[in-house]
Amino acid sequence: QVQLVESGGGSVQAGGSLRVSCAASGATHTISVMAWFRQAPGKEREGVALISNDGSTIYADTVKGRFTVSQHTTSNTLYLQMNSLKLEDTAMYYCAAGRFFRLQESMYNYWGKGTQVTVSS
């Protein structure tokens, strides 16, 4: 079993930055990919970014150039650095872990409870 706990959410002004984190524990040897998803009010959950064990990444077109996903492998911590935040980035951000290099919900076995990110004007 893998446990994921997000942190770092909060309220920021448009154009600002925020970093959210995800601490993984348990059977972390069983996962090879970690990802961030988000869900805005009234919208479906969507993939934001993922990173595999070898450092390969995938970003949603909406966040390319603004967000950076990274990981500290020794501590099994995932990060999402969000810059140039826009109002439409407001969402609950979820950490996920799995074994496949796909930014699709169905590919992830483990999920955190989410951390709220709110962007204001």
Side-chain angles (χ1 to χ4, degrees):
Q1 191 75 11
V2 175
Q3 295 81 44
L4 303 173
V5 180
E6 301 96 337
S7 63
S11 181
V12 297
Q13 291 185 320
S17 299
L18 192 68
R19 176 192 274 181
V20 291
S21 302
C22 173
S25 60
T28 56
H29 63 280
T30 65
I31 60 176
S32 57
V33 173
M34 294 187 73
W36 288 99
F37 288 78
R38 67 185 182 185
Q39 187 167 26
K43 305 221 175 178
E44 294 185 343
R45 190 171 299 186
E46 62 177 351
V48 177
L50 67 75
I51 186 165
S52 64
N53 286 347
D54 67 1
S56 298
T57 59
I58 294 177
Y59 293 93
D61 288 341
T62 51
V63 306
K64 284 180 181 176
R66 299 189 298 119
F67 290 11
T68 302
V69 64
S70 61
Q71 61 186 349
H72 185 203
T73 54
T74 55
S75 63
N76 293 309
T77 303
L78 177 72
Y79 302 96
L80 183 67
Q81 178 67 47
M82 300 178 285
N83 299 326
S84 301
L85 283 161
K86 303 175 180 179
L87 292 176
E88 51 263 44
D89 293 319
T90 294
M92 183 72 74
Y93 283 72
Y94 297 91
C95 176
R99 302 195 303 111
F100 301 99
F101 195 67
R102 298 280 188 85
L103 200 55
Q104 296 176 309
E105 281 190 74
S106 62
M107 297 295 174
Y108 294 85
N109 307 108
Y110 307 102
W111 293 83
K113 294 180 179 179
T115 186
Q116 179 67 39
V117 173
T118 301
V119 183
S120 62
S121 61

